[in-house]
Amino acid sequence: MASFVHASWLLACLGSFFLHESVFFLSGLPFIFIERAGWLSKYKIQTKNNSPAAQEKCITRLLLYHFGVNLPVMLFSYPVFKYMGMRSSLPLPSWKVVLVQIIFYFILEDFVFYWGHRILHTKWLYKNVHSVHHEYATPFGLTSEYAHPAEILFLGFATIIGPAITGPHLITLWLWMVLRVLETVEAHCGYHFPWSLSNFIPLYGGADFHDYHHRLLYTKSGNYSSTFVYMDWVFGTDKGYRKLKALKSTEVEDGSKQM
């Protein structure tokens, strides 16, 4: 029994950590090389590039934060998840259960993240905490998790609250983790491709939406949403972005007419 509990703990904690690290760095590192090589530059949202020194600083700090903050959180949160019913044994949950839980996680995470992120843009919290994340006005994939340790804990709550209160199967938790990591890396990648999900999924934010947030002063940025943009739309914090999009659309139409 003790060995089974130990194996479950290792799988849930260390397995989750190594899965996170693998997905995060494998999806984020290519954008560093793409930017350095100048590939796909026509899809780059900002013309400015990050220096190799800035990129290396980001990676170094990320490793420190992941081992110093993320891993301990995973270790200490395990009893909570276990108490709420999380399991790793067979049988696996049905795809319907997984789908409902993942949709619930996205909805709840969007709501909690929006308000947490908006609070971080108040003057004192921005200056002392959130400004670390905004050191990169031109974001790239790995900057998605570059933040003050206090912010990692504060906004990380939005990601784990859904699974924490539902006690899912470990497979469901891993799927949620993978989807969330891929989403936030894409939102910070700095490129808007023809195949970007925001071109196909209604209300999906994506890189163009979030890049705007990084370019503006903290008091006027807006676009606080996580994955989907309905919270910004409901509370009117995306007005500047919408006006800019409308202006660009008008300029393109005028240019086409002149042609």
Side-chain angles (χ1 to χ4, degrees):
M1 183 65 180
S3 61
F4 174 76
V5 172
H6 182 65
S8 299
W9 179 82
L10 286 175
L11 186 64
C13 298
L14 298 186
S16 297
F17 179 73
F18 287 118
L19 176 65
H20 172 272
E21 297 304 290
S22 300
V23 174
F24 177 70
F25 282 104
L26 287 176
S27 62
L29 281 172
F31 289 106
I32 286 182
F33 301 117
I34 290 172
E35 186 176 287
R36 288 187 183 184
W39 299 333
L40 304 173
S41 57
K42 67 178 179 179
Y43 300 122
K44 199 168 187 303
I45 299 168
Q46 297 187 46
T47 56
K48 180 184 175 183
N49 288 331
N50 293 281
S51 68
Q55 294 172 336
E56 290 162 10
K57 173 190 172 184
C58 178
I59 295 173
T60 302
R61 293 281 182 89
L62 281 170
L63 290 172
L64 177 64
Y65 296 152
H66 284 184
F67 280 94
V69 181
N70 291 17
L71 181 57
V73 167
M74 290 182 182
L75 295 176
F76 287 109
S77 63
Y78 175 75
V80 176
F81 281 80
K82 193 70 176 176
Y83 176 78
M84 295 304 295
M86 188 184 76
R87 61 184 180 85
S88 56
S89 58
L90 295 174
L92 297 177
S94 70
W95 68 268
K96 292 181 181 179
V97 170
V98 173
L99 180 62
V100 169
Q101 289 182 331
I102 294 295
I103 291 174
F104 171 68
Y105 298 161
F106 269 114
I107 294 172
L108 183 59
E109 197 274 342
D110 269 327
F111 179 83
V112 176
F113 184 96
Y114 174 85
W115 289 111
H117 191 190
R118 192 168 174 178
I119 289 170
L120 285 173
H121 274 264
T122 54
K123 189 173 182 178
W124 189 91
L125 284 172
Y126 182 89
K127 179 181 178 180
N128 294 282
V129 178
H130 194 49
S131 59
V132 173
H133 181 66
H134 279 268
E135 286 177 16
Y136 293 89
T138 306
F140 54 94
L142 294 182
T143 61
S144 57
E145 295 192 7
Y146 180 89
H148 190 285
E151 178 176 341
I152 295 172
L153 295 173
F154 185 56
L155 288 185
F157 176 75
T159 300
I160 68 171
I161 184 174
I165 64 178
T166 59
H169 193 281
L170 185 59
I171 291 295
T172 308
L173 178 64
W174 283 355
L175 176 60
W176 164 240
M177 181 190 300
V178 169
L179 292 175
R180 183 71 184 95
V181 168
L182 292 177
E183 180 277 322
T184 192
V185 167
E186 193 269 339
H188 288 81
C189 74
Y191 292 83
H192 183 70
F193 302 111
W195 56 86
S196 294
L197 290 178
S198 56
N199 294 327
F200 306 101
I201 301 178
L203 300 179
Y204 185 88
D208 188 63
F209 183 84
H210 193 69
D211 201 277
Y212 175 87
H213 174 81
H214 274 262
R215 295 199 304 271
L216 268 66
L217 294 172
Y218 80 93
T219 53
K220 301 178 180 179
S221 56
N223 289 23
Y224 302 116
S225 293
S226 175
T227 304
F228 297 97
V229 303
Y230 60 89
M231 290 292 290
D232 277 293
W233 179 77
V234 169
F235 293 99
T237 46
D238 64 347
K239 289 181 179 179
Y241 174 73
R242 298 299 171 196
K243 288 180 180 179
L244 181 63
K245 293 289 287 184
L247 181 62
K248 287 184 176 181
S249 178
T250 301
E251 290 175 351
V252 170
E253 288 179 6
D254 291 342
S256 299
K257 290 178 180 178
Q258 290 177 3
M259 290 291 288

